[in-house]
Amino acid sequence: LGEWNGQNYLNCQEAFETNYAKGIRLFEADFSLTSDGKIVLFHDGHETRFGLRKNFTEAEFLAAKPFEATLLNLQGLVRLLAKYPDAKII
């Protein structure tokens, strides 16, 4: 979803909204499956950077606040796309 606050690979709400405000409408996102079978926006291999164990749950993921960022699950992404209907995910 773009860089935010000097950090990349966050796939967070703040990155989306900041880059949207800059005029970006086409966003790349990374998706992962949690240990409880939920889809979250996360780049594999960054567990320790986010303070997570390897097999994290959706609740653990959403409770993490790396760099004070708001992490997103699939529902959170859908809410953003409803709010910004001209944005596209690749």
Side-chain angles (χ1 to χ4, degrees):
L1 299 178
E3 182 179 313
W4 176 72
N5 207 18
Q7 301 294 322
N8 57 8
Y9 299 112
L10 291 180
N11 291 288
C12 67
Q13 179 175 329
E14 292 84 359
F16 178 94
E17 290 178 336
T18 297
N19 290 300
Y20 185 92
K22 292 178 182 178
I24 296 171
R25 297 298 182 265
L26 188 60
F27 295 87
E28 182 271 339
D30 302 290
F31 296 87
S32 291
L33 195 60
T34 63
S35 63
D36 55 343
K38 305 295 182 174
I39 297 173
V40 296
L41 278 69
F42 178 75
H43 192 286
D44 289 337
H46 289 254
E47 291 85 359
T48 56
R49 183 174 175 226
F50 283 41
L52 296 166
R53 58 189 172 87
K54 185 71 174 163
N55 294 314
F56 56 86
T57 66
E58 180 186 44
E60 291 168 334
F61 177 79
L62 293 174
K65 293 290 182 198
F67 313 102
E68 300 301 315
T70 305
L71 301 182
L72 297 167
N73 59 8
L74 189 57
Q75 293 83 359
L77 177 61
V78 169
R79 280 192 299 275
L80 281 175
L81 293 175
K83 183 176 179 181
Y84 303 98
D86 58 337
K88 305 289 183 235
I89 302 294
I90 57 170

